[in-house]
């Protein structure tokens, strides 16, 4: 209803009220004391209603004038903003382009320098970017007859460095054919590394009878370096009452099924502190799931330029991946079975879960023939079959009951589950109870029972249907959404980014282009906290440790968010990075109430390294067209988009902030180093705190 309608309605109500009072207080007899009294009451009421009407009219007039004043003020502010819009946008664009050009040139120079240093290393290792060199290295190492475990582990250390470089080249590369070559070299190396582990294992087991432990009557040994832990147990005594064994120095153990206690077997526990299997699974997932984003014209251009070469490499690469994904840990191929719907549903989604702490290979092998001394001669049976898997459960135990019941009872084994126990690696953090997944070409959460997790001891034990390869997995987004966040300056080109996650809090100190993790969580982070590294290196290290605050293209599928316009959000991060040396930024509860087209955060100028006092924060509203300072504060009862009286509108966030900044603060922002600005922006864009908090 408009103002005139509301006023007319008010007058009508008063007229009705006066009419009712007149009929009640003024009877037909117009004389006598009662009439005089009634007239007094009536006149009093008329006066009161008239005065109320006057006051109401004055109030409504004042409100109308105030609205008109605000509307005029808004029109003036919008007009003023429009007049300087072009200049502000041009200044912002110039700052961003200047920083981007400087960063691009620096990265190009750094890449050239790294390439030259790699070329000048001259340490005998191949350059993984050169296919001929890496192929020659693989061929020579494959033919190397040396199987001594110490020598093999040293060779594997070099090979693992090459696989890391190949993964980096594949991740950073843009050429399709080169990327496939890097993947093929990566697959060849990881297969060869595992093959060398098997050869070294076989060599140790051949000498098992010569290295019997006096107390147990069996052979057990542990060999480890920074990349792998190898535990071997050989059943020499064949004691039917043997239950199991724990390698105390590495806290890895197993319980032996009673059917195996009298068999010529050996148990191997190989814990690789890296995880190549998940890398292979991700490659296959991306190969199958990732759609092409090329336009028809681009696709046609690629086909015309590359022709059959691309199709040939793609076909070979896909075939190679499929073969490797069904390559079991012993190096044999298994026939892929037809999977039921339930079976497929148990496949671990590597976009939601991340394996942590490396891979655990639990294998049972036939014990190789042992040497015998006869009249001073050492006699050993020589087999060319290599390390042989002991089938458990064996094929006969897998026969359906209707068939196996016809067999002789002595021929049928009732196979028990295999119980294993693992100490959680001290280089990872499980913020929730870890899940167990076994490998059969993909990670699957099935075949695992009777899980026991003792958090205070960092130990997990469970039963498996057979000896298998497994990993411990955790929800990638367990620490999402963020409860709050803050970015505050510590000085020129220095800032502290703090995130209070759903389960764990942490801080990242930024100094130029270097980052350092800080956290009250001591366990599992000692190898990371207090160490400077680049932003991408810190991100990879945190993900491998199990502490994730970073987002990717799949995060929105698994984490509830408040949808925000991506262009407005990205622009906010760019401008926050420009002013991160002089301004503090923080989470606001009103960001969830302002709608998808706007952002709200707390901001204040802060030139000292101390924490920001609570009474200094001011709320700002950011949109695609303009930014403004809000009248409400964080503790207000309700959200209101009205701008703060006395403030102006600006087309950019940084010009809005400059209105309330000191000269010293503005100078500090203009002197910010481009590497610092780029590092802060990259950190904000990779965590997206305005959307995931």
């Amino acid at each position: 209803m408009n103002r005139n309608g509301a006023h007319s309605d008010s007058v009508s109500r008063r007229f009705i009220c006066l009419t009712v009072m007149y009929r009640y207080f003024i009877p037909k007899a117009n004389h006598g004391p009662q009439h005089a009294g009634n007239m007094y009451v009536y006149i009093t009421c008329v006066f009161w209603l008239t005065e109320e009407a006057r006051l109401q009219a004055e109030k409504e007039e004042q409100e109308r004038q105030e609205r008109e004043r605000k509307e005029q003020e808004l029109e003036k502010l919008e007009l003023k903003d429009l007049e300087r819009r072009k200049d502000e946008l041009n200044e912002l664009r110039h700052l961003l382009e200047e920083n981007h050009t400087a960063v691009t040139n620096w990265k190009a120079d750094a890449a050239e320098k790294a390439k030259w240093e790699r070329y000048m290393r001259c340490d005998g290792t191949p350059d993984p970017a050169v296919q001929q060199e890496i192929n020659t290295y693989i061929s020579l190492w494959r033919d190397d007859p040396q199987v001594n475990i110490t020598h093999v582990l040293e060779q594997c250390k070099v090979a693992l460095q090459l696989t890391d470089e190949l993964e980096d080249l594949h991740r950073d590369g843009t050429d399709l054919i080169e990327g496939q070559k890097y993947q093929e070299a990566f697959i060849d190396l990881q297969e060869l590394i595992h093959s060398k582990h098997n050869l070294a294992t076989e060599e140790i087991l051949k000498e098992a009878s010569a290295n019997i432990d006096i107390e147990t009557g069996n052979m057990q040994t542990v060999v480890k370096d920074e990349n792998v832990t190898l535990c071997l147990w050989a059943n020499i005594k064949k004691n039917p009452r043997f239950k199991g064994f724990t390698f105390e120095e590495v806290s890895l153990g197993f319980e032996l099924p009673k059917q195996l206690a009298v068999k010529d077997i050996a148990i191997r526990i190989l814990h690789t502190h890296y995880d190549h299997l998940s890398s292979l699974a991700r490659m296959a997932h991306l190969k199958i799931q990732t759609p092409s984003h090329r336009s028809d014209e681009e696709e046609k251009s690629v086909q015309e330029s590359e022709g059959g070469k691309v199709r040939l490499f793609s076909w070979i690469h896909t075939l190679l991946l499929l073969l490797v994904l069904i390559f079991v840990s012993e190096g044999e191929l298994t026939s892929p079975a037809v999977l039921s719907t339930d079976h497929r549903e148990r496949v671990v989604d590597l976009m939601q879960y991340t394996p942590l702490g490396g891979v655990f290979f639990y294998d049972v092998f036939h014990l190789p023939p042992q040497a015998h001394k006869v009249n001073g001669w050492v006699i050993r049976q020589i087999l060319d079959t290599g390390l042989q898997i002991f089938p458990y459960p064996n094929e006969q135990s897998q026969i359906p009951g209707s068939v196996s019941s016809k067999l002789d009872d002595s021929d049928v084994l009732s196979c028990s589950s295999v119980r294993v126990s693992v100490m959680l690696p001290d280089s990872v953090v499980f913020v929730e109870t870890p899940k167990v997944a076994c490998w059969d070409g993909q990670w699957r959460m099935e075949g695992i029972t009777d899980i026991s997790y003792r958090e205070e001891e960092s130990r997990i034990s469970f039963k498996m249907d057979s000896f298998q390869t497994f990993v411990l997995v955790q929800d990638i987004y367990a620490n999402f959404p963020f409860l709050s966040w803050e970015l505050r300056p510590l000085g020129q080109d220095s800032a502290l980014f703090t995130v209070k996650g759903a389960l764990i809090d942490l801080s990242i100190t930024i100094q130029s282009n270097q980052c350092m993790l800080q956290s009250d969580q001591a366990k599992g982070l000692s190898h990371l906290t207090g160490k400077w590294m680049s932003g991408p290196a810190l991100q990879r290290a945190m993900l491998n440790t199990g502490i994730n605050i970073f987002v990717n293209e799949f995060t929105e599928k698994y984490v509830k968010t408040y949808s925000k316009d991506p262009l407005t959000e990205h622009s906010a991060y760019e401008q926050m990075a420009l002013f991160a040396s002089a301004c503090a930024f923080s989470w606001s509860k009103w960001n969830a109430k302002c709608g998808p087209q706007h952002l709200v955060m707390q901001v204040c100028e802060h030139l000292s390294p101390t924490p920001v006092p609570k009474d200094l924060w001011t709320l700002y509203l950011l949109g695609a067209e303009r930014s403004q300072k809000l009248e409400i504060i964080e503790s207000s009862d309700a959200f209101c988009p009205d701008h703060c009286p006395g403030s102006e509108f600006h087309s950019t966030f940084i010009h809005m902030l400059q209105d309330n900044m000191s000269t010293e603060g503005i100078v500090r922002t203009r002197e910010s180093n481009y590497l610092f600005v780029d590092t802060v922006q990259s950190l904000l864009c990779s965590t997206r705190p305005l959307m995931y908090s």
Side-chain angles (χ1 to χ4, degrees), residues 653-665:
F653 187 31
I654 59 172
H655 290 94
M656 183 71 247
L657 295 177
Q658 284 181 173
D659 283 354
N660 299 283
M661 290 180 63
S662 64
T663 303
E664 180 185 358

PDB file of all heavy atoms in Angstrom, residues 653-665:
ATOM      1  N   PHE A 653      37.000  -3.581  -5.148  1.00  0.00           N
ATOM      2  CA  PHE A 653      37.142  -3.798  -3.710  1.00  0.00           C
ATOM      3  C   PHE A 653      38.308  -2.998  -3.145  1.00  0.00           C
ATOM      4  O   PHE A 653      38.218  -2.415  -2.055  1.00  0.00           O
ATOM      5  CB  PHE A 653      37.327  -5.294  -3.453  1.00  0.00           C
ATOM      6  CG  PHE A 653      37.323  -5.689  -2.002  1.00  0.00           C
ATOM      7  CD1 PHE A 653      36.573  -4.990  -1.075  1.00  0.00           C
ATOM      8  CD2 PHE A 653      38.066  -6.773  -1.567  1.00  0.00           C
ATOM      9  CE1 PHE A 653      36.563  -5.358   0.270  1.00  0.00           C
ATOM     10  CE2 PHE A 653      38.059  -7.153  -0.235  1.00  0.00           C
ATOM     11  CZ  PHE A 653      37.316  -6.445   0.687  1.00  0.00           C
ATOM     12  N   ILE A 654      39.420  -2.946  -3.886  1.00  0.00           N
ATOM     13  CA  ILE A 654      40.602  -2.266  -3.344  1.00  0.00           C
ATOM     14  C   ILE A 654      40.363  -0.765  -3.205  1.00  0.00           C
ATOM     15  O   ILE A 654      40.848  -0.136  -2.255  1.00  0.00           O
ATOM     16  CB  ILE A 654      41.856  -2.543  -4.205  1.00  0.00           C
ATOM     17  CG1 ILE A 654      41.653  -2.071  -5.645  1.00  0.00           C
ATOM     18  CG2 ILE A 654      42.224  -4.009  -4.163  1.00  0.00           C
ATOM     19  CD1 ILE A 654      42.921  -2.144  -6.494  1.00  0.00           C
ATOM     20  N   HIS A 655      39.624  -0.152  -4.119  1.00  0.00           N
ATOM     21  CA  HIS A 655      39.338   1.281  -3.995  1.00  0.00           C
ATOM     22  C   HIS A 655      38.352   1.541  -2.862  1.00  0.00           C
ATOM     23  O   HIS A 655      38.403   2.598  -2.223  1.00  0.00           O
ATOM     24  CB  HIS A 655      38.801   1.823  -5.314  1.00  0.00           C
ATOM     25  CG  HIS A 655      39.828   1.884  -6.400  1.00  0.00           C
ATOM     26  ND1 HIS A 655      40.000   0.873  -7.303  1.00  0.00           N
ATOM     27  CD2 HIS A 655      40.755   2.844  -6.710  1.00  0.00           C
ATOM     28  CE1 HIS A 655      40.987   1.195  -8.139  1.00  0.00           C
ATOM     29  NE2 HIS A 655      41.462   2.386  -7.800  1.00  0.00           N
ATOM     30  N   MET A 656      37.483   0.565  -2.608  1.00  0.00           N
ATOM     31  CA  MET A 656      36.590   0.687  -1.457  1.00  0.00           C
ATOM     32  C   MET A 656      37.398   0.675  -0.159  1.00  0.00           C
ATOM     33  O   MET A 656      37.141   1.459   0.764  1.00  0.00           O
ATOM     34  CB  MET A 656      35.597  -0.478  -1.486  1.00  0.00           C
ATOM     35  CG  MET A 656      34.543  -0.452  -0.391  1.00  0.00           C
ATOM     36  SD  MET A 656      33.306   0.833  -0.618  1.00  0.00           S
ATOM     37  CE  MET A 656      33.662   1.904   0.769  1.00  0.00           C
ATOM     38  N   LEU A 657      38.406  -0.194  -0.104  1.00  0.00           N
ATOM     39  CA  LEU A 657      39.224  -0.286   1.105  1.00  0.00           C
ATOM     40  C   LEU A 657      40.080   0.958   1.303  1.00  0.00           C
ATOM     41  O   LEU A 657      40.304   1.404   2.432  1.00  0.00           O
ATOM     42  CB  LEU A 657      40.119  -1.530   1.030  1.00  0.00           C
ATOM     43  CG  LEU A 657      39.414  -2.889   1.035  1.00  0.00           C
ATOM     44  CD1 LEU A 657      40.426  -4.020   0.879  1.00  0.00           C
ATOM     45  CD2 LEU A 657      38.620  -3.081   2.319  1.00  0.00           C
ATOM     46  N   GLN A 658      40.566   1.526   0.193  1.00  0.00           N
ATOM     47  CA  GLN A 658      41.452   2.692   0.294  1.00  0.00           C
ATOM     48  C   GLN A 658      40.775   3.889   0.955  1.00  0.00           C
ATOM     49  O   GLN A 658      41.456   4.740   1.543  1.00  0.00           O
ATOM     50  CB  GLN A 658      41.936   3.097  -1.106  1.00  0.00           C
ATOM     51  CG  GLN A 658      43.008   2.186  -1.653  1.00  0.00           C
ATOM     52  CD  GLN A 658      43.485   2.605  -3.024  1.00  0.00           C
ATOM     53  OE1 GLN A 658      44.437   2.063  -3.558  1.00  0.00           O
ATOM     54  NE2 GLN A 658      42.823   3.581  -3.619  1.00  0.00           N
ATOM     55  N   ASP A 659      39.445   3.956   0.888  1.00  0.00           N
ATOM     56  CA  ASP A 659      38.740   5.089   1.505  1.00  0.00           C
ATOM     57  C   ASP A 659      38.971   5.159   3.001  1.00  0.00           C
ATOM     58  O   ASP A 659      38.842   6.229   3.608  1.00  0.00           O
ATOM     59  CB  ASP A 659      37.235   4.967   1.238  1.00  0.00           C
ATOM     60  CG  ASP A 659      36.875   5.381  -0.187  1.00  0.00           C
ATOM     61  OD1 ASP A 659      37.775   5.853  -0.902  1.00  0.00           O
ATOM     62  OD2 ASP A 659      35.700   5.218  -0.573  1.00  0.00           O
ATOM     63  N   ASN A 660      39.275   4.014   3.634  1.00  0.00           N
ATOM     64  CA  ASN A 660      39.427   3.978   5.089  1.00  0.00           C
ATOM     65  C   ASN A 660      40.839   3.579   5.517  1.00  0.00           C
ATOM     66  O   ASN A 660      41.036   3.127   6.642  1.00  0.00           O
ATOM     67  CB  ASN A 660      38.417   2.989   5.689  1.00  0.00           C
ATOM     68  CG  ASN A 660      36.978   3.369   5.395  1.00  0.00           C
ATOM     69  OD1 ASN A 660      36.420   4.267   6.004  1.00  0.00           O
ATOM     70  ND2 ASN A 660      36.378   2.682   4.422  1.00  0.00           N
ATOM     71  N   MET A 661      41.802   3.727   4.610  1.00  0.00           N
ATOM     72  CA  MET A 661      43.173   3.323   4.920  1.00  0.00           C
ATOM     73  C   MET A 661      44.079   4.539   5.081  1.00  0.00           C
ATOM     74  O   MET A 661      43.829   5.607   4.502  1.00  0.00           O
ATOM     75  CB  MET A 661      43.726   2.407   3.828  1.00  0.00           C
ATOM     76  CG  MET A 661      43.090   1.022   3.787  1.00  0.00           C
ATOM     77  SD  MET A 661      43.773  -0.011   2.469  1.00  0.00           S
ATOM     78  CE  MET A 661      45.499  -0.135   2.986  1.00  0.00           C
ATOM     79  N   SER A 662      45.139   4.328   5.836  1.00  0.00           N
ATOM     80  CA  SER A 662      46.136   5.376   6.026  1.00  0.00           C
ATOM     81  C   SER A 662      47.075   5.425   4.828  1.00  0.00           C
ATOM     82  O   SER A 662      47.131   4.491   4.016  1.00  0.00           O
ATOM     83  CB  SER A 662      46.948   5.098   7.293  1.00  0.00           C
ATOM     84  OG  SER A 662      47.692   3.891   7.152  1.00  0.00           O
ATOM     85  N   THR A 663      47.822   6.502   4.715  1.00  0.00           N
ATOM     86  CA  THR A 663      48.791   6.635   3.625  1.00  0.00           C
ATOM     87  C   THR A 663      49.850   5.543   3.706  1.00  0.00           C
ATOM     88  O   THR A 663      50.255   4.972   2.684  1.00  0.00           O
ATOM     89  CB  THR A 663      49.465   8.018   3.687  1.00  0.00           C
ATOM     90  OG1 THR A 663      48.456   9.038   3.623  1.00  0.00           O
ATOM     91  CG2 THR A 663      50.449   8.190   2.544  1.00  0.00           C
ATOM     92  N   GLU A 664      50.283   5.225   4.931  1.00  0.00           N
ATOM     93  CA  GLU A 664      51.284   4.179   5.111  1.00  0.00           C
ATOM     94  C   GLU A 664      50.767   2.832   4.622  1.00  0.00           C
ATOM     95  O   GLU A 664      51.495   2.059   3.985  1.00  0.00           O
ATOM     96  CB  GLU A 664      51.663   4.078   6.597  1.00  0.00           C
ATOM     97  CG  GLU A 664      52.714   3.009   6.885  1.00  0.00           C
ATOM     98  CD  GLU A 664      52.984   2.854   8.373  1.00  0.00           C
ATOM     99  OE1 GLU A 664      52.379   3.614   9.170  1.00  0.00           O
ATOM    100  OE2 GLU A 664      53.787   1.970   8.732  1.00  0.00           O
ATOM    101  N   GLY A 665      49.496   2.549   4.920  1.00  0.00           N
ATOM    102  CA  GLY A 665      48.923   1.285   4.486  1.00  0.00           C
ATOM    103  C   GLY A 665      48.826   1.189   2.977  1.00  0.00           C
ATOM    104  O   GLY A 665      49.131   0.138   2.385  1.00  0.00           O
TER     105      GLY A 665
END
